[in-house]
Amino acid sequence: MAANNPKLSRRQFLKASASAVISLAVVGSAAYYFKDKSSVLKTGVIRPPGSRDEEEFLYACIKCGLCVQICPVHAIKLADWDHYLSYGTPYIDVNQQACDFSCDAIQCAETCPTAAINFKIFKHAGDKAIEELTKKYNGQLPPNVNPFEVQIIAMREADKMGVAKIPDPNQCLAYHGHGYKGKLGKTHSLLRPPGSQERIYIDEVEVNREICDLCVAYCPLGDHAIELKELGNGKFLPEIKDGCVGCGVCQMLCPTEPKAIVIEPFKGLETA
Ligand code: SF4
Ligand code: SF4
Ligand code: SF4
């Protein structure tokens, strides 16, 4: 009988131990994998605006890095082995540097030689906005309207990288009626504030807000995307609207730790 045979028992014991070690390693790796996967989701790693759906994107992207070079705020990076994205493909980590659209004409999409980042949707949206405006004013643009601005706004809204969320209002300073005084951001990231022609480094600018509204004040889509709502009793909370495209400027600037406002990416996570 096996139980009475010490040699066999030892072999069985060793075998069982080895299986246990292997099982623990497998379970540990799986836990690590899923833990990291969820942290990728939370930190807002996204594809550049206009990127095709992930499967098509992976076929179309030739990893040339032209989008990386053209982005004036250096928002786009190429994925390393440790990302849950195909090696060498472009992504944006909004904690480091969000896409602030300060290139104006979605230059990463315009420069992509294979249309993995698809400029057609932006061009179409820009042209359509001008066409509709011209039609509204009987074939002529009104003198006080800058057609370039009309085009740019329509282009920014033409595709969604993700959407901003406030998972826990308690994390938000405005929700407690608190202000914010200090650097505009903790990272050496670039930003062209709305209405300005100059880009600034956010860690070199001091702000002093009676009620924190950084996510609202610097959103490149303005009140199409986010507004600060008064809740009463001195409390406020940003309200995310349909125009939010998930650019991540709000997450980059939110001064709380962890961030009160985070991007839920729509594209770019490898599911296989
Ligand atoms: S849209 Fe402009 S700012 Fe945004 S990632 Fe592309 S090149 Fe950079
Ligand atoms: S709320 Fe504005 S800043 Fe935040 S992701 Fe949406 S569009 Fe970008
Ligand atoms: S920047 Fe952050 S803390 Fe400030 S209002 Fe927006 S979500 Fe709240």
Side-chain angles (χ1 to χ4, degrees), residues 73-102:
V73 294
H74 317 295
I76 306 176
K77 307 272 184 293
L78 294 183
D80 217 332
W81 294 114
D82 57 349
H83 287 90
Y84 294 101
L85 298 166
S86 274
Y87 180 68
T89 56
Y91 74 96
I92 297 173
D93 180 346
V94 302
N95 278 330
Q96 296 303 315
Q97 176 66 60
C99 158
D100 69 345
F101 291 109
S102 66

Side-chain angles (χ1 to χ4, degrees), residues 143-247:
N144 58 339
V145 169
N146 180 344
F148 184 63
E149 270 171 24
V150 172
Q151 227 168 356
I152 292 303
I153 290 168
M155 287 168 86
R156 287 180 182 180
E157 289 180 350
D159 188 53
K160 285 179 184 284
M161 294 170 264
V163 67
K165 301 257 170 181
I166 298 185
D168 177 8
N170 274 304
Q171 195 63 36
C172 171
L173 295 172
Y175 186 70
H176 299 284
H178 294 165
Y180 173 72
K181 188 175 179 200
K183 306 258 186 223
L184 181 54
K186 293 183 183 125
T187 46
H188 197 55
S189 308
L190 276 162
L191 179 73
R192 195 175 83 189
S196 164
Q197 289 308 311
E198 303 289 326
R199 290 191 189 94
I200 52 169
Y201 282 106
I202 60 174
D203 60 346
E204 291 177 359
V205 175
E206 297 279 338
V207 288
N208 186 1
R209 321 290 286 197
E210 208 171 309
I211 296 290
C212 184
D213 68 344
L214 300 185
C215 55
V216 176
Y218 291 93
C219 170
L221 276 293
D223 59 8
H224 291 217
I226 190 166
E227 271 184 319
L228 198 63
K229 285 275 166 197
E230 192 165 0
L231 306 177
N233 298 325
K235 292 179 162 196
F236 295 81
L237 193 67
E239 183 184 75
I240 320 302
K241 300 165 82 181
D242 288 348
C244 170
V245 296
C247 70

